[in-house]
Amino acid sequence: MFRSRVLVLLFRGLLLLSAFTACYSKQYTQTFVSNSNFDNPERWVGHGVPCAEDSIVFNEDQVVSIFVQTNASIKELYFPLNGEFIFADGVVWSADESLSPCVGDDHGDHVLTYNSDPYNWFDIGNWQGSDENGDELSSKDLLDIEKIPCDFDTAAFPLKQSWMVSMPEDINLHRLVIWNQDFDSATFSNYRTTGRGRYQFTGSGVISAERAICSDVTGCACR
Ligand SMILES: *[C@@H]1O[C@H](CO)[C@@H](O)[C@H](O)[C@H]1NC(C)=O
């Protein structure tokens, strides 16, 4: 009994040790692959992406940043008070049914709500890593700690997408790129006070992105 407990402790110790030593990373680019776009079916509760004849109801205190890439025909729409809709060029919303990309027996006359839960920055499912040549890294070649942006990585939020991201803890990065625009600690902290940034990045975590370089060819520790 006693002996097995010692073994368990020893085993736990080894796991901790390996978790600690495994915490090394090279300089990668980590791209955010989740989004809160209007046409993302995962965000809609009730009957998928809105179609002609549907009603869309946002709760007034939902915090959203929604990129709209598709035309829509909307019967009724209740906007939130605390959010933004970013329309791509040429997108039209109206009550005209012909605008909707989906009209059919199965569609229409539903009341749809939108799930505005933010993505967690530290959720590995939100990121896709790539190396310095832009080649995607296979998830099986990476340790979990390397699947979210590490101190020497670039975190990239791609064009034509929107997100709500919660940052419960502080984050160290090499570089932060949002819609092809470069941010460092100061410019990002300013961005978070703007109309767009305050809906996209929530939580008490602070990003520091001061271009730190990893000069060790075997990789550098994530702090
Ligand atoms: C939206 O509708 C406008 C006007 O009918 C049209 O010109 C445009 O191509 C449509 N856009 C998309 C993305 O379908």
Side-chain angles (χ1 to χ4, degrees):
M1 187 69 171
F2 175 73
R3 192 192 179 94
S4 71
R5 198 171 283 173
V6 169
L7 274 177
V8 166
L9 282 178
L10 190 68
F11 184 63
R12 280 211 187 128
L14 278 174
L15 274 182
L16 272 179
L17 188 68
S18 64
F20 184 74
T21 54
C23 187
Y24 278 79
S25 180
K26 300 194 173 171
Q27 282 190 266
Y28 297 131
T29 293
Q30 298 281 355
T31 302
F32 201 79
V33 290
S34 300
N35 68 67
S36 60
N37 292 359
F38 185 80
D39 58 6
N40 180 353
E42 289 169 18
R43 284 280 167 187
W44 291 100
V45 184
H47 214 264
V49 176
C51 281
E53 295 292 304
D54 284 337
S55 301
I56 302 176
V57 179
F58 286 93
N59 194 316
E60 63 182 35
D61 50 18
Q62 280 187 291
V63 177
V64 297
S65 175
I66 299 178
F67 187 76
V68 184
Q69 235 163 341
T70 43
N71 286 348
S73 148
I74 290 157
K75 186 161 105 183
E76 208 176 12
L77 171 66
Y78 292 87
F79 274 115
L81 297 176
N82 217 357
E84 61 162 4
F85 289 75
I86 309 164
F87 286 84
D89 285 346
V91 164
V92 181
W93 276 11
S94 88
D96 181 352
E97 272 190 35
S98 66
L99 271 178
S100 177
C102 47
V103 193
D105 294 344
D106 192 32
H107 292 105
D109 258 337
H110 302 281
V111 177
L112 305 178
T113 57
Y114 183 90
N115 175 357
S116 55
D117 291 346
Y119 296 108
N120 189 324
W121 178 286
F122 297 98
D123 181 347
I124 58 177
N126 291 328
W127 299 98
Q128 169 66 53
S130 51
D131 64 17
E132 60 276 28
N133 303 317
D135 294 326
E136 286 192 357
L137 302 164
S138 157
S139 131
K140 64 183 189 325
D141 295 337
L142 295 176
L143 302 159
D144 278 358
I145 188 87
E146 296 174 312
K147 290 178 187 166
I148 55 169
C150 188
D151 302 37
F152 301 93
D153 291 340
T154 295
F157 289 83
L159 277 172
K160 299 188 175 171
Q161 293 189 5
S162 60
W163 335 264
M164 288 81 75
V165 182
S166 76
M167 306 188 302
E169 286 170 59
D170 290 353
I171 293 154
N172 290 317
L173 298 173
H174 170 70
R175 218 178 130 208
L176 174 65
V177 180
I178 302 169
W179 282 32
N180 285 353
Q181 192 186 338
D182 242 295
F183 290 88
D184 61 19
S185 312
T187 52
F188 180 68
S189 143
N190 190 41
Y191 180 72
R192 286 186 75 180
T193 67
T194 64
R196 185 164 296 179
R198 71 194 159 106
Y199 301 126
Q200 293 176 338
F201 297 94
T202 56
S204 59
V206 169
I207 289 186
S208 107
E210 294 300 333
R211 310 286 185 273
I213 301 287
C214 169
S215 49
D216 185 338
V217 289
T218 61
C220 295
C222 297
R223 286 188 296 261

